[in-house]
């Protein structure tokens, strides 16, 4: 069995990022959510686009008001009013001011903003009760971004903040990586679909649905191949078809040491190189990772138990899929958290216990999911957002102690 970190290193070394020239497409900004930039974006506009006010108040010449105070106020004549979206038509001369609102363009001759709380307005006169600092509350053109410089780098995942930046910069056509295609197949004569009547001894194939959701949430296109029976030739044909048409294959079941576990042998018959056969992790010890000389496809054979399947995906498949997709931020994320329950393990394998991570008064706390932590118990996996890790050689992390927790996206 390989240590977890060694298995992760091998997998990520095997992943070849999609070629940005051959595997990209142009999308409109409206369709860019969740996509990965294939080319660095450079904007054509400064931001702010022009000098503007950061507050409601009065645009003034600093030289006019620099010495004023509540004890020694200065009165200026208000010669214009500028709302957001207006283009100023009046130049501010000595002894004058402009009523201005947040976001409005600064008029010529003004170089500071006096907030309205520090003024008294009477007709077309405004009395300044406190001197602003030089350039106070003025957002200068290009202070946040200069046109022609990199705005967003290739490899960035486009979500709400990035979409807002691109919209502001009027970058509406974007080069993004294509979505990797991921085949999902479930092996086992005992499996039935959720629509079928469940007979004694049968098991509902939840993995097909869980993994399709997992793939879609991580930027891939799930290709559901359904249930494949424990018949070597049928399974071999299904795997052969999959590795020719997708970037990644996820098969569940058939990778342990049972009489009906054929996957590793079939992969070898298809010319596959098996890089990983098992990992010192619980749950999810049986893990097959293979590549093929004639196919640019990465194969993951993961356990059939539904919890083991998802833990394997979160720990090993997710970073691989993100890296393949061109996402720069592909490494798993870990935090330190105070556990609110005893965390127990056998000590021989790195153990992952699922539960909920909360931020309480600036510190993370981990609450263990209730019920049995069996790889066959899918029920208490609901609402999981973190996996607490018990290292090899350790059997207990006591309540109140600090634990390392992997975040689940």
């Amino acid at each position: 069995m390989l240590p977890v970190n060694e298995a992760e290193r091998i997998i990520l070394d095997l992943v070849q990022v999609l070629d940005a020239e051959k595997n990209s497409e142009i999308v409109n900004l409206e369709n860019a959510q969740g996509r990965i930039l294939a080319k660095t974006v450079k904007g054509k506009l400064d931001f702010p686009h022009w000098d503007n006010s950061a507050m409601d108040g009065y645009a003034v010449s600093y030289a006019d008001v620099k010495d004023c105070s509540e004890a020694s106020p200065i009165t200026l004549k208000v010669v214009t009013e500028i709302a957001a979206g207006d283009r100023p038509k009046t130049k501010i001369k000595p002894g004058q001011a402009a009523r201005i609102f947040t976001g409005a363009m600064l008029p010529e001759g003004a170089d500071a903003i006096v907030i309205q709380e520090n003024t008294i307005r009477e007709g077309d006169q405004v009395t300044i009760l406190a001197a602003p600092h030089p350039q106070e509350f003025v957002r200068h053109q290009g202070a946040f971004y200069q046109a022609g410089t990199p705005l967003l780098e290739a490899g960035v995942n486009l979500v709400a903040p990035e979409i807002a930046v691109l919209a502001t910069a009027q970058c509406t056509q974007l080069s993004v990586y294509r979505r990797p295609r991921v085949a999902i197949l479930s092996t086992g004569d005992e499996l039935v679909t959720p629509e079928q009547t469940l007979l004694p001894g049968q098991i509902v194939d939840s993995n097909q649905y869980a993994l399709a959701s997992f793939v879609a949430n991580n930027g891939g296109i799930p290709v559901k191949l359904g249930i494949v029976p424990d018949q070597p030739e049928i399974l071999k044909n299904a795997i052969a078809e999959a590795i020719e048409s997708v970037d990644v294959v996820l098969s569940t079941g058939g990778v342990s040491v049972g009489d009906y576990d054929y996957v590793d042998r079939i992969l070898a018959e298809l010319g596959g190189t098996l890089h990983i056969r098992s990992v010192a992790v619980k749950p999810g010890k049986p893990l097959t990772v293979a590549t093929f000389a004639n196919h640019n496809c990465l194969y993951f054979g993961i356990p059939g138990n539904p919890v083991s399947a998802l833990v394997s995906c979160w720990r090993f498949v997710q970073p691989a899929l993100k890296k393949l997709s061109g996402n720069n931020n592909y490494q798993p994320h870990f935090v330190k958290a105070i556990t609110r329950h005893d965390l127990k393990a056998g000590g021989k394998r790195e153990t992952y216990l699922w539960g909920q991570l909360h931020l309480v008064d600036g510190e993370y706390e981990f609450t263990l999911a209730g019920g049995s932590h069996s790889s066959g118990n899918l029920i208490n996996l609901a609402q999981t957002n973190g996996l607490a890790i018990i290292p090899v050689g350790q059997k207990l992390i006591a309540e109140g102690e600090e634990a390392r927790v992997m975040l689940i996206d």
Side-chain angles (χ1 to χ4, degrees):
M1 292 187 294
L2 288 174
V4 169
N5 289 342
E6 178 66 9
E8 179 189 55
R9 184 194 63 77
I10 291 171
I11 291 168
L12 291 177
D13 285 348
L14 291 172
V15 174
Q16 299 298 316
V17 179
L18 292 174
D19 187 294
E21 296 298 326
K22 298 178 181 178
N23 293 282
S24 62
E25 57 189 10
I26 303 297
V27 298
N28 294 326
L29 184 59
E30 292 84 355
N31 300 318
Q33 169 65 29
R35 304 303 297 270
I36 309 297
L37 276 179
K39 293 183 180 179
T40 295
V41 174
K42 295 181 180 180
K44 297 180 180 180
L45 300 171
D46 290 334
F47 190 75
H49 306 316
W50 42 74
D51 291 355
N52 70 85
S53 176
M55 299 289 284
D56 291 349
Y58 293 87
V60 299
S61 169
Y62 175 72
D64 281 344
V65 298
K66 62 185 178 65
D67 296 323
C68 75
S69 65
E70 190 167 357
S72 180
I74 291 176
T75 299
L76 304 174
K77 183 177 182 180
V78 180
V79 295
T80 188
E81 181 173 293
I82 311 167
D86 289 347
R87 182 172 184 175
K89 300 179 177 63
T90 303
K91 178 180 178 179
I92 301 303
K93 299 177 182 178
Q96 296 180 342
R99 176 67 167 130
I100 197 166
F101 297 91
T102 303
M105 190 173 179
L106 212 67
E108 185 180 352
D111 57 8
I113 303 296
V114 179
I115 59 174
Q116 61 188 31
E117 292 87 343
N118 291 336
T119 67
I120 297 175
R121 177 74 179 269
E122 294 183 3
D124 65 352
Q125 303 288 313
V126 61
T127 299
I128 310 299
L129 304 176
H133 297 298
Q135 309 294 322
E136 188 167 22
F137 299 121
V138 175
R139 295 186 292 214
H140 290 282
Q141 179 176 342
F144 305 149
Y145 172 75
Q146 293 80 48
T149 60
L151 181 64
L152 292 175
E153 300 284 350
V156 168
N157 183 23
L158 300 177
V159 290
E162 291 75 21
I163 296 294
V165 167
L166 292 167
T168 295
Q170 296 187 321
C171 298
T172 59
Q173 297 288 302
L174 307 164
S175 177
V176 297
Y177 286 99
R178 69 168 176 83
R179 296 182 187 273
R181 288 169 51 82
V182 182
I184 302 166
L185 57 92
S186 305
T187 68
D189 291 336
E190 73 279 14
L191 299 177
V192 296
T193 68
E195 295 80 18
Q196 291 178 266
T197 299
L198 190 64
L199 300 177
Q202 293 182 326
I203 299 172
V204 175
D205 177 23
S206 63
N207 285 334
Q208 193 82 193
Y209 295 83
L211 299 189
S213 175
F214 163 80
V215 168
N217 286 340
N218 284 280
I221 298 174
V223 180
K224 294 169 66 176
L225 300 183
I227 299 169
V228 181
D230 286 322
Q231 298 179 34
E233 284 306 311
I234 295 177
L235 182 57
K236 183 176 181 179
N237 290 337
I239 293 175
E241 180 181 346
I243 63 177
E244 289 181 357
S245 59
V246 298
D247 302 290
V248 176
V249 175
L250 293 179
S251 72
T252 59
V255 292
S256 190
V257 292
D259 292 341
Y260 297 100
D261 294 333
Y262 304 118
V263 170
D264 286 1
R265 174 168 62 83
I266 288 172
L267 295 176
E269 291 175 359
L270 293 173
T273 300
L274 275 64
H275 302 273
I276 297 175
R277 298 288 296 272
S278 65
V279 182
V281 64
K282 184 180 181 180
K285 180 179 74 170
L287 176 68
T288 293
V289 179
T291 55
F292 304 86
N294 299 322
H295 304 286
N296 192 21
C297 176
L298 184 60
Y299 190 100
F300 288 93
I302 59 181
N305 281 329
V307 173
S308 298
L310 277 173
V311 171
S312 294
C313 282
W314 287 327
R315 187 62 185 89
F316 300 113
V317 181
Q318 181 169 274
L321 189 56
K322 286 185 174 182
K323 182 179 178 182
L324 175 68
S325 303
N327 191 332
N328 290 336
N329 189 25
Y330 60 82
Q331 294 284 0
H333 296 157
F334 301 92
V335 298
K336 295 292 186 179
I338 302 300
T339 178
R340 292 309 173 199
H341 299 88
D342 287 346
L343 305 178
K344 299 177 181 180
K348 295 182 179 179
R349 289 182 276 163
E350 187 167 295
T351 300
Y352 289 71
L353 299 176
W354 50 97
Q356 294 187 359
L357 198 63
H358 303 280
L359 195 60
V360 180
D361 296 330
E363 292 186 343
Y364 281 109
E365 293 184 359
F366 178 79
T367 303
L368 189 67
S372 167
H373 273 251
S374 161
S375 59
N377 181 14
L378 182 61
I379 303 303
N380 70 348
L381 199 64
Q383 301 298 299
T384 291
N385 67 354
L387 297 173
I389 303 169
I390 305 176
V392 174
Q394 188 170 350
K395 294 185 177 182
L396 173 68
I397 299 176
E399 177 184 353
E401 293 182 348
E402 191 176 71
R404 186 168 178 249
V405 180
M406 190 180 88
L407 299 176
I408 297 174
D409 290 345

